[in-house]
Amino acid sequence: MLTPKQHELLMFIHERLRESGVPPSFDEMKDALDLKSKSGIHRLITALEERGFIRRLPNRARAMEVVRLPDSHNPRLGGREGGFVPSVIEGSGGREKPTPSMPDVAALGDVVTVPVMGRIAAGTPISAIQQESHSVSVPAELIAGGEHFALEVRGDSMIEAGIFDGDTVLIKRSESADNGEIIVALVDDEEATLKRLRKRGGSVALEAANPTYETRIFGPDRVKIQGKLVALFRRY
């Protein structure tokens, strides 16, 4: 049995993972539940973990996955009878891996092939997105129309959004995005970076999810949106 706040937090984490593929930050959870401090969120997360509803991912700051939902919710939410499929897709755990940069997704049902277009910086910007280097297979349920591509993440500037060095991110190609969405941004036609979009008047801010990195602010003519984050994949 969950308390109302435990249930509210669990469903907030579940919805965020389902929508964006990354868990919310402690600040976002605190604001969503209208709590005054992060310590209250820490206690709720610990309680959910002890009851087997969530699992914090080892060696990953603030990264977690929803293991199950309360019995009152539809057990088919993950598309599999009697269980819930987390939005963070685990690697193959030492088994033979089908590709050099993608976890084993064969057990998840139908898959589609998506091109990997090189590496994206989640830290100090690196060179622009490259041409297709290889392809990976992803669950078809993550592709909801439009053109998609994948990028390999390098850097740690988005760790509080649950995105880490070595992850592979699935991106839906788009030239526009809403305020607060995580995007692939091309700066001055030569630097590609993964950041949260903040629109500030006539300027564009690229916001990191790591306090050691500063928010970078540009004129609108210097930043081109290449796509929006759909999901991420992680290998252990």
Side-chain angles (χ1 to χ4, degrees):
M1 180 70 69
L2 296 179
T3 67
K5 282 295 185 184
Q6 289 169 358
H7 184 275
E8 184 180 358
L9 179 60
L10 177 63
M11 297 312 298
F12 177 68
I13 295 171
H14 164 59
E15 291 297 330
R16 180 61 63 86
L17 284 169
R18 189 174 65 175
E19 291 172 359
S20 68
V22 295
S25 67
F26 273 40
D27 283 327
E28 290 172 328
M29 289 186 276
K30 177 175 67 69
D31 293 342
L33 271 66
D34 196 25
L35 297 180
K36 294 182 179 180
S37 69
K38 296 180 185 178
S39 61
I41 293 296
H42 177 75
R43 288 192 294 270
L44 291 172
I45 288 176
T46 299
L48 290 172
E49 186 175 31
E50 290 174 347
R51 288 162 174 77
F53 287 95
I54 67 172
R55 180 174 65 182
R56 281 183 276 197
L57 304 177
N59 303 316
R60 301 288 189 176
R62 298 184 181 177
M64 67 190 72
E65 62 185 9
V66 176
V67 178
R68 66 186 180 94
L69 294 176
D71 293 338
S72 59
H73 288 79
N74 190 341
R76 297 178 181 269
L77 281 174
R80 195 168 57 181
E81 181 67 26
F84 171 69
V85 179
S87 294
V88 176
I89 299 177
E90 297 187 17
S92 55
R95 300 187 302 275
E96 183 178 356
K97 299 174 178 61
T99 68
S101 63
M102 198 68 184
D104 183 2
V105 296
L108 298 180
D110 293 338
V111 297
V112 295
T113 299
V114 173
V116 178
M117 303 299 290
R119 297 175 177 176
I120 184 73
T124 303
I126 56 177
S127 59
I129 300 172
Q130 304 167 9
Q131 297 298 312
E132 179 179 350
S133 59
H134 60 282
S135 297
V136 294
S137 296
V138 303
E141 63 187 20
L142 296 179
I143 307 297
E147 183 181 355
H148 292 69
F149 60 93
L151 293 166
E152 297 172 353
V153 176
R154 291 294 179 266
D156 61 357
S157 74
M158 298 301 289
I159 57 174
E160 291 194 6
I163 305 171
F164 304 98
D165 183 69
D167 287 347
T168 297
V169 289
L170 178 64
I171 304 295
K172 181 176 182 179
R173 193 177 296 277
S174 176
E175 295 181 355
S176 62
D178 293 329
N179 201 35
E181 289 189 297
I182 296 176
I183 64 167
V184 172
L186 189 61
V187 180
D188 296 332
D189 289 323
E190 61 182 25
E191 296 179 353
T193 188
L194 187 70
K195 293 292 184 290
R196 192 179 300 278
L197 175 67
R198 298 294 184 190
K199 300 175 182 178
R200 299 182 176 179
S203 300
V204 174
L206 300 180
E207 181 181 271
N210 182 333
T212 63
Y213 290 84
E214 295 183 353
T215 296
R216 304 174 71 203
I217 301 176
F218 303 93
D221 58 328
R222 296 183 60 192
V223 177
K224 295 179 181 178
I225 297 173
Q226 305 289 287
K228 302 186 291 186
L229 178 69
V230 173
L232 68 84
F233 305 91
R234 181 170 299 145
R235 170 176 287 172
Y236 297 96

